[in-house]
Amino acid sequence: MTAPLYNAEILRLTTAIPHDQRLTDPMASVERRSPICGSRVTVDVNLGADGRVSEVGMLIRACALGQASAALLSAHVVGRNASELAKARDELSAWLAGDRTDAPEWPGLAVFAPAVPYSARHPSIRLAFEAAAQAAEDAAAGRSS
């Protein structure tokens, strides 16, 4: 028997998204949208002198899977640098695509195991990680997107 796609943990995550307000003057801001379902996530970041995320703000207009993914990203993004965020994004993409069997190292992403067979759901799960990785890269390069 397979686990339900929208399980209790995913629904719980949608009610507790940290950093769910936009930053007023971010170093970089990136929006990603899923053309399949219309989910949209905007991530603002500020980096500290060490190149690590010091502040994050988000605007999430997404389905439950996109909201849950944004909650997991948001809960653990502060203190990460652009390369760590790119690695998390790439691991998540590879796992969802079936290119790896184990869940990404990012805390909590295993909750999406029931969604792996549903490729139409993958874009909304990836949105926050794609936006955060790009925003951190842009901020580190001095590009205010």
Side-chain angles (χ1 to χ4, degrees):
M1 187 160 142
T2 60
L5 183 58
Y6 295 98
N7 58 51
E9 180 60 13
I10 285 173
L11 296 176
R12 184 195 66 75
L13 286 166
T14 68
T15 66
I17 303 173
H19 310 289
D20 65 345
Q21 299 292 317
R22 302 280 312 266
L23 298 180
T24 55
D25 191 23
M27 294 173 74
S29 181
V30 171
E31 178 183 282
R32 288 290 184 263
R33 184 180 168 280
S34 169
I36 294 173
C37 67
S39 289
R40 189 176 37 172
V41 173
T42 304
V43 177
D44 303 324
V45 298
N46 285 327
L47 303 181
D50 60 358
R52 296 186 174 279
V53 174
S54 59
E55 293 181 292
V56 64
M58 300 175 78
L59 176 63
I60 301 105
R61 299 290 184 253
C63 66
L65 294 172
Q67 290 177 47
S69 181
L72 291 172
L73 176 277
S74 185
H76 303 284
V77 70
V78 173
R80 307 284 182 133
N81 64 31
S83 64
E84 291 169 323
L85 292 172
K87 178 183 176 193
R89 175 202 59 213
D90 295 346
E91 286 182 355
L92 176 60
S93 293
W95 180 56
L96 291 172
D99 296 337
R100 58 181 285 158
T101 56
D102 54 327
E105 294 176 23
W106 195 274
L109 287 179
V111 73
F112 295 112
V116 171
Y118 300 95
S119 60
R121 304 296 189 187
H122 297 175
S124 61
I125 296 169
R126 293 190 317 255
L127 289 176
F129 283 85
E130 291 172 352
Q134 186 64 56
E137 181 182 316
D138 288 355
R143 296 185 301 260
S144 59
S145 21

